[in-house]
Amino acid sequence: MANYCNTKDCIDKFNLHKKNEISSPYTRELEFKELTNSQEKVVLETKNLQDLFSSNLVIPDYQRTYCWEDKNVTDLWDNLLEMPHNSDYHLGSIILQRRTVNDCTLYNIIDGQQRLVTLTLIMRELGYTGQMPLLKQKFISKDARLHVANNKALIRILNQRNTDIAMLERLSHHLIFSVLILNDSNLDLAYTFFSNQNSKGVSLSDYDLLKAHHLRYLNIEDQAEHLAMRWNDLSLEYDNNGDSYLTHTLGVHLFRLRKWMRKHNVEEFQPRKVKEEFSAARIMSSIPAFGEKFYFYEKIQGGSHFFAYTSIFVDKYKEFIHARQIQLLRNHLQWESHWKYADIIESLMFGYFIKFGHQYLSEALFCIAGIMAQHRYSTTRAIFYKIREFAKDSEIIMMIDQASSPTFFLAEAIPYIRISGLEQEGDIKERFYRCLRRIFCELNDFSDKTIIKKKNNEYGE
């Protein structure tokens, strides 16, 4: 618990109050500005602290009480002191609900109240003379008023040790936020966003941005609420290893497969890569988008099509990872740098599984792993981006896509396996080969005679 300033005098001197008159009150006439001119249902803007304070921010009655303790305030203060001097500093996401009441535009704070109230106290202590709308707010809760009074006193103590004369300027202009604005949305839809956020100031993820991006294409509010809730549920589903189904389906496997289909390199660490890849594709304004075939590489239609697309492929991924072939791949190639090859092989196998399901899955693993092993056997270092480029250049995913039956893919893939692992001796290449050998010795459901013969020649019966 915080060490509250429990005296009536301390509370009376606090600027945010319900009934008490205070000394030196905040009396500035408020002149508010719009945060956005867009009328879209969901808008994402980047705003600095001064922009936020210049809008009519309101803490709605249904919000939880202000409850930040000493540690929360001190941690925020320490982070602010570490702000760079000549560049922006991102302090996470804020979610606002735009409402019009008596011809007055209000921005209800759905997520971010704790930070915004604390920043208001900090800016007041630093001598900020701009707009501070939250100083006009009234807290009914005695507990909230005690927290505010305590934190006001704490901030004053912290600032007495502060020697940074430029702090006020940096906070007002270079402290930035990702601001998600819901235009006249009802409370239920607002909470579908809030329920999936981390209110500790973590930036919106690609998946949060995708949800907001595609919800704006929906004109039926009940449908938007339903799909937002389903997306929230999906984002909280994890496999036995603690990996997100949604992240691995969209952000790893489908992302790679879509890039490889267009002969593009996979930039794993590109900022906002998933958001950019799965945003709605451009269309001709007069020609409607047709098609519900759900090819993994198809153009993304904005709205309900995207949510259905995601749901279908996450379900396929859930089934895929329980296949015995994938379990063996993960178990035997998790050591040293072998995992890098296993990771790429799994993506390619997912592409095969999407097309053909469980049909000849062991044979497909034999061919795909055999082709990727050519890179391992011919290079001294397992550099991840080089392995991804090899997968792209191998055109395996295009072979799969163009095959109308597993037989066409398998027949085309086998000749690409040229280097034998039997020739590798005494180093990591040999250890990689032995891992593959254990996988294929455990698989006993091969039925194609050509592949059985090749498997036995390579790995033994």
Side-chain angles (χ1 to χ4, degrees):
M1 288 291 291
N3 296 317
Y4 297 133
C5 297
N6 288 317
T7 66
K8 182 177 182 298
D9 180 62
C10 183
I11 297 175
D12 285 347
K13 289 182 180 179
F14 172 56
N15 294 311
L16 302 179
H17 65 287
K18 175 63 179 174
K19 299 177 180 178
N20 297 10
E21 293 295 326
I22 61 175
S23 61
S24 192
Y26 182 75
T27 57
R28 172 166 181 161
E29 189 68 26
L30 297 178
E31 298 176 0
F32 296 120
K33 299 177 182 178
E34 289 279 8
L35 275 174
T36 179
N37 294 321
S38 174
Q39 297 304 309
E40 292 184 345
K41 179 174 290 188
V42 182
V43 182
L44 182 68
E45 302 271 5
T46 298
K47 298 292 182 182
N48 62 27
L49 188 59
Q50 181 173 283
D51 293 332
L52 280 171
F53 281 1
S54 296
S55 61
N56 194 2
L57 297 177
V58 174
I59 301 173
D61 292 339
Y62 56 78
Q63 266 288 13
R64 64 176 177 152
T65 186
Y66 178 70
C67 59
W68 263 21
E69 306 279 358
D70 288 6
K71 184 180 187 306
N72 304 116
V73 176
T74 303
D75 287 346
L76 175 61
W77 179 268
D78 290 342
N79 287 336
L80 297 177
L81 289 178
E82 295 176 1
M83 280 181 61
H85 283 256
N86 298 310
S87 59
D88 292 338
Y89 184 81
H90 195 282
L91 198 64
S93 62
I94 301 292
I95 301 179
L96 305 176
Q97 181 187 29
R98 185 179 183 272
R99 298 176 61 239
T100 302
V101 179
N102 298 327
D103 296 326
C104 180
T105 300
L106 310 175
Y107 290 94
N108 281 353
I109 302 173
I110 305 300
D111 185 35
Q113 178 206 166
Q114 309 294 320
R115 279 170 290 148
L116 289 174
V117 170
T118 307
L119 287 167
T120 297
L121 298 178
I122 290 173
M123 295 297 279
R124 178 72 157 151
E125 173 63 27
L126 293 175
Y128 183 63
T129 58
Q131 304 282 11
M132 286 185 281
L134 293 184
L135 288 177
K136 294 285 190 175
Q137 289 287 285
K138 299 176 181 180
F139 283 142
I140 298 174
S141 165
K142 179 181 178 181
D143 191 51
R145 297 201 305 273
L146 286 170
H147 275 91
V148 170
N150 178 76
N151 291 343
K152 180 186 175 185
L154 173 60
I155 290 166
R156 180 161 297 167
I157 293 171
L158 293 171
N159 192 42
Q160 288 172 354
R161 310 169 192 162
N162 179 30
T163 59
D164 186 354
I165 60 174
M167 186 175 184
L168 179 61
E169 174 72 13
R170 289 209 315 280
L171 290 186
S172 58
H173 293 99
H174 294 292
L175 190 63
I176 62 170
F177 304 83
S178 296
V179 183
L180 196 69
I181 303 168
L182 310 178
N183 276 321
D184 289 318
S185 297
N186 67 31
L187 187 57
D188 289 338
L189 181 57
Y191 264 103
T192 63
F193 285 94
F194 175 74
S195 64
N196 203 35
Q197 301 306 311
N198 183 333
S199 59
K200 296 181 180 179
V202 177
S203 177
L204 287 168
S205 72
D206 277 22
Y207 303 94
D208 298 320
L209 297 177
L210 276 174
K211 177 176 70 173
H213 172 81
H214 284 283
L215 284 176
R216 76 183 190 186
Y217 288 89
L218 299 174
N219 296 319
I220 303 173
E221 193 147 353
D222 286 347
Q223 189 179 96
E225 290 177 24
H226 171 74
L227 291 174
M229 290 298 294
R230 287 197 60 177
W231 179 271
N232 287 353
D233 292 341
L234 190 62
S235 69
L236 296 175
E237 293 184 7
Y238 300 87
D239 64 18
N240 293 334
N241 295 322
D243 294 324
S244 164
Y245 289 128
L246 181 61
T247 300
H248 264 63
T249 304
L250 285 188
V252 179
H253 298 313
L254 289 185
F255 179 80
R256 289 172 179 167
L257 296 175
R258 289 169 65 89
K259 290 293 186 184
W260 291 336
M261 277 295 293
R262 303 185 73 177
K263 297 288 286 181
H264 292 172
N265 287 328
V266 174
E267 302 294 341
E268 296 278 3
F269 302 105
Q270 175 186 345
R272 298 302 184 202
K273 66 183 181 77
V274 178
K275 162 64 170 59
E276 295 301 320
E277 181 63 31
F278 294 97
S279 289
R282 295 181 181 139
I283 61 172
M284 303 300 290
S285 59
S286 60
I287 304 175
F290 300 101
E292 292 285 332
K293 295 183 178 179
F294 297 109
Y295 295 122
F296 69 84
Y297 52 82
E298 69 187 21
K299 296 295 184 183
I300 300 297
Q301 297 179 40
S304 58
H305 175 272
F306 167 73
F307 291 104
Y309 171 98
T310 300
S311 180
I312 284 171
F313 285 111
V314 169
D315 285 345
K316 285 184 180 292
Y317 176 72
K318 290 177 182 177
E319 181 183 0
F320 166 73
I321 62 173
H322 289 101
R324 184 162 181 260
Q325 294 84 353
I326 304 308
Q327 293 293 312
L328 288 173
L329 178 69
R330 290 182 169 187
N331 291 339
H332 290 298
L333 283 182
Q334 61 178 304
W335 317 111
E336 299 184 85
S337 60
H338 306 335
W339 68 268
K340 299 178 183 179
Y341 290 92
D343 198 49
I344 299 302
I345 292 168
E346 184 173 315
S347 290
L348 294 167
M349 285 291 290
F350 187 47
Y352 179 92
F353 187 83
I354 290 170
K355 184 74 178 281
F356 298 116
H358 292 275
Q359 296 182 70
Y360 301 97
L361 200 57
S362 292
E363 285 85 349
L365 177 59
F366 179 82
C367 290
I368 292 172
I371 294 174
M372 293 307 302
Q374 305 302 290
H375 183 273
R376 171 72 285 184
Y377 298 151
S378 61
T379 188
T380 55
R381 297 181 61 196
I383 302 173
F384 205 17
Y385 83 89
K386 291 288 188 182
I387 301 171
R388 295 196 301 267
E389 287 183 359
F390 182 83
K392 175 201 68 175
D393 294 337
S394 72
E395 301 185 353
I396 291 173
I397 191 58
M398 282 178 274
M399 293 184 210
I400 294 169
D401 179 64
Q402 293 168 4
S404 57
S405 162
T407 189
F408 295 113
F409 166 68
L410 298 173
E412 185 177 6
I414 286 176
Y416 285 85
I417 305 173
R418 301 187 183 97
I419 303 175
S420 171
L422 290 168
E423 302 168 4
Q424 314 303 319
E425 294 183 1
D427 63 4
I428 194 170
K429 299 177 186 179
E430 180 185 11
R431 295 194 294 276
F432 179 83
Y433 163 77
R434 291 186 180 280
C435 289
L436 289 181
R437 185 176 186 276
R438 284 193 288 272
I439 292 172
F440 293 113
C441 286
E442 287 190 42
L443 285 174
N444 54 11
D445 61 342
F446 288 83
S447 56
D448 177 79
K449 292 181 180 178
T450 302
I451 291 183
I452 291 174
K453 181 178 179 181
K454 193 169 184 66
K455 177 183 80 79
N456 290 340
N457 287 340
E458 180 70 11
Y459 300 112
E461 298 185 25

